[in-house]
Amino acid sequence: MALIRKCIGKYKILQCIGAGGEGHVFLGWDEDLHRSAAIKEIDVWKERGKEEGIVQEAHVLRQLRHPMLPVIYDLLWEDDTWYLVMEYIQGVTLQEYVEKNGCVEEKQMSVWIEQLLDILCYLHTRKPPVIYRDLKPQNVIVCPDGNLRLIDFGAAYRQNFGECEMRMAATPGYSAPEQFGRTGQGIRADERSDIYAFGMLLYFTVTGADPAKPPYVSLPVREYQPLLGEWPERIIRRCIREDPAERYQVIQEIRKDLYKYRKRRFKVLRRSFIRVVEKRVWLTEME
């Protein structure tokens, strides 16, 4: 447990609410504006090389405006430590939600897919594109109103074409192979890397099975949800192909396939419903 200070700048520290490789996250209270805040700590003496990352995270987030993103309030430097102060988002992580409730049913899943695709499309269409690079259940918050929020932009960066970053954020089970340098083309990430992670996140959401653990993604989605249509499986499989060139290239391609598969599934369900009604009518007439 971190040694909790009484105050950081004008923020009164209430409790430690999280910890990770970059540092601790505290729940704070702004006594001037009377609002809660999440305060992310980066100790540059313990985490060499993280100073640039925390400044970059603040810089990226300050320029983004989207309902799924936290608002940045402040960036403080105290006692050889950076503190990134941002909107406090209530809720549980998607990881915690699925572990508690099991795989997500199709109606709710469809809403969340649209929200995730919307935020990724927003990021990827900035000038230059913002690559999130660390999409995983721990970085997605399920809010009390049922909507999703995306947190932790420590790994995000603005894409500069032609550059190859040798230090790359990568989470086993969710990050694309090229983020580990397994494609033979160096360590890199672009929009298709986020699409790979989206596919893995979708798999976890609809199955409850962690892609970082056996049997990984070897089992079809319908092994977990037999009544689910075939469209999640098709989308996931294309998202997570080893070669980036064989994946969806942009988010809009996923949206087009979603529309096509859902329309086809609606027709199948409609035909099934009509057959049931016709059978009931026939049985009534026979009586």
Side-chain angles (χ1 to χ4, degrees):
M1 176 65 68
L3 178 62
I4 301 180
R5 300 174 56 182
K6 292 184 178 181
C7 291
I8 296 174
K10 66 175 182 176
Y11 300 94
K12 180 180 179 181
I13 302 304
L14 303 179
Q15 61 178 309
C16 179
I17 57 175
E22 291 186 336
H24 295 84
V25 180
F26 302 102
L27 174 61
W29 178 256
D30 185 335
E31 297 190 327
D32 292 338
L33 298 178
H34 302 286
R35 65 184 179 187
S36 298
I39 304 173
K40 183 177 179 179
E41 168 201 65
I42 299 292
D43 189 330
V44 298
W45 296 107
K46 294 179 181 178
E47 302 288 339
R48 295 288 184 178
K50 296 295 185 180
E51 180 177 3
E52 181 180 350
I54 192 69
V55 176
Q56 175 177 290
E57 179 178 6
H59 180 69
V60 169
L61 278 172
R62 277 175 173 168
Q63 298 180 60
L64 301 176
R65 296 290 185 274
H66 191 278
M68 283 187 66
L69 301 181
V71 177
I72 294 297
Y73 295 153
D74 217 339
L75 182 62
L76 305 174
W77 170 258
E78 286 195 9
D79 300 329
D80 298 324
T81 302
W82 281 107
Y83 295 97
L84 180 60
V85 185
M86 66 192 86
E87 175 188 6
Y88 172 62
I89 298 174
Q90 292 184 317
V92 298
T93 67
L94 184 59
Q95 180 88 31
E96 295 168 332
Y97 181 93
V98 173
E99 288 177 350
K100 179 180 179 180
N101 301 288
C103 51
V104 180
E105 56 90 21
E106 186 172 1
K107 183 178 180 181
Q108 181 64 73
M109 177 189 61
S110 297
V111 174
W112 286 352
I113 286 175
E114 290 293 347
Q115 292 181 354
L116 290 169
L117 291 177
D118 188 66
I119 183 58
L120 288 177
C121 185
Y122 172 79
L123 295 175
H124 292 176
T125 53
R126 300 306 91 200
K127 302 295 183 182
V130 174
I131 312 302
Y132 184 68
R133 297 200 301 183
D134 201 22
L135 185 62
K136 56 186 178 182
Q138 297 93 325
N139 287 345
V140 178
I141 298 294
V142 181
C143 299
D145 63 4
N147 291 314
L148 300 182
R149 303 287 296 274
L150 192 61
I151 61 171
D152 199 345
F153 270 67
Y157 81 113
R158 290 192 175 276
Q159 186 181 47
N160 293 313
F161 297 99
E163 293 185 1
C164 178
E165 293 197 357
M166 297 310 296
R167 290 185 300 171
M168 177 66 66
T171 299
Y174 292 93
S175 298
E178 59 269 20
Q179 291 181 248
F180 298 93
R182 295 204 303 260
T183 60
Q185 299 178 20
I187 301 174
R188 59 194 177 85
D190 59 23
E191 292 91 331
R192 298 169 298 180
S193 306
D194 281 350
I195 287 173
Y196 181 98
F198 168 79
M200 288 298 193
L201 184 70
L202 177 56
Y203 182 84
F204 172 75
T205 303
V206 299
T207 66
D210 190 342
K213 302 176 182 178
Y216 307 106
V217 290
S218 59
L219 293 179
V221 168
R222 298 183 79 175
E223 289 287 326
Y224 297 92
Q225 291 210 50
L227 299 180
L228 197 61
E230 64 180 9
W231 62 268
E233 184 74 34
R234 291 189 176 187
I235 288 174
I236 289 168
R237 291 299 174 185
R238 186 171 174 188
C239 284
I240 64 173
R241 288 176 181 169
E242 183 88 3
D243 185 349
E246 296 180 357
R247 300 174 202 151
Y248 292 104
Q249 301 299 291
V250 294
I251 295 297
Q252 288 299 339
E253 290 182 343
I254 304 179
R255 283 179 157 168
K256 288 180 181 179
D257 270 2
L258 268 174
Y259 176 77
K260 178 177 66 177
Y261 294 146
R262 285 172 177 171
K263 187 176 181 180
R264 185 184 305 167
R265 178 163 169 74
F266 173 76
K267 288 181 179 179
V268 171
L269 293 174
R270 185 172 181 272
R271 285 197 297 268
S272 299
F273 175 75
I274 291 174
R275 290 194 189 101
V276 170
V277 172
E278 289 176 340
K279 183 177 180 180
R280 288 179 178 176
V281 171
W282 181 78
L283 291 172
T284 301
E285 292 176 347
M286 291 295 291
E287 294 176 355

